Amino acid sequence: MALVSFYVLEGPERGTLFADLPTPLTIGREEDNAIRLNDERISRFHAKLQDDAGQVILTDLESTNGTRVNGRPVQLRVLRPGDQILLGRSLLLFGKPSEILERGWQDAGFAGDEQTIRRQPGGSDASPEPASDLPPGFENTPLFAEGAPPLPRGLRALHAAQLADLLAHLHDEITQILVASEEAGNDAGEGEREAMLVPWPR
């Protein structure tokens, strides 16, 4: 059983620290959730967290407005300290204060004011201005700011083969997209190709 902590950066509960909650737990609007957020854009039972082999897994529970981690929509995700989870209009920072500080956040006491937690300027994963449809202060950090996630260990032979097949399929699809974009770009005159466009369905 893992213990998890969240700090609410934006939303009705802004400034609240949910500390050392045991997993599994759910997040949502209903009182039965371990983390209850009074946000009309959050589903009654929006997301679930569980521990598996020491890793904290976030699962979106088919919520109406979805779940984003570091700006990207996710259905299932292994959380890492410093990840930002957006549910409705509520933005939560995952991790204990000590873990968050290690990821480049400054701390003024977790008191709940606007300057309590913020990204240090000039960090390696400094982010652009937030998009207009996201809450103020939302930082669209890279989904995997520290590089590629590690490959899973201890998989059964079938699961390892299925993972290898999936990666091979994705590799093939990306190759086809690159080939299509090269072909589209070659139609332009020499020296005119500054960008290559690929149709969104492709």
Side-chain angles (χ1 to χ4, degrees), residues 37-134:
L37 299 172
N38 186 23
D39 182 337
E40 72 281 356
R41 296 193 65 188
I42 289 179
S43 297
R44 294 185 310 118
F45 293 92
H46 195 107
K48 176 177 77 172
L49 280 92
Q50 62 195 55
D51 170 47
D52 191 341
Q55 301 291 315
V56 177
I57 313 296
L58 169 73
T59 306
D60 180 83
L61 297 175
E62 299 183 6
S63 61
T64 302
N65 292 309
T67 300
R68 289 175 176 257
V69 174
N70 299 335
R72 311 306 205 292
V74 299
Q75 185 66 38
L76 196 64
R77 158 84 170 167
V78 178
L79 291 181
R80 293 165 180 79
D83 280 345
Q84 298 172 65
I85 297 96
L86 183 68
L87 309 99
R89 298 187 188 282
S90 297
L91 181 63
L92 286 70
L93 186 62
F94 172 71
K96 297 176 182 174
S98 59
E99 296 171 327
I100 292 169
L101 294 177
E102 289 175 8
R103 289 284 303 267
W105 293 80
Q106 293 177 339
D107 168 35
F110 287 83
D113 59 84
E114 191 168 338
Q115 298 301 315
T116 297
I117 297 182
R118 58 188 172 83
R119 178 72 72 186
Q120 291 179 354
S124 60
D125 52 353
S127 307
E129 290 299 310
S132 59
D133 62 337
L134 297 177

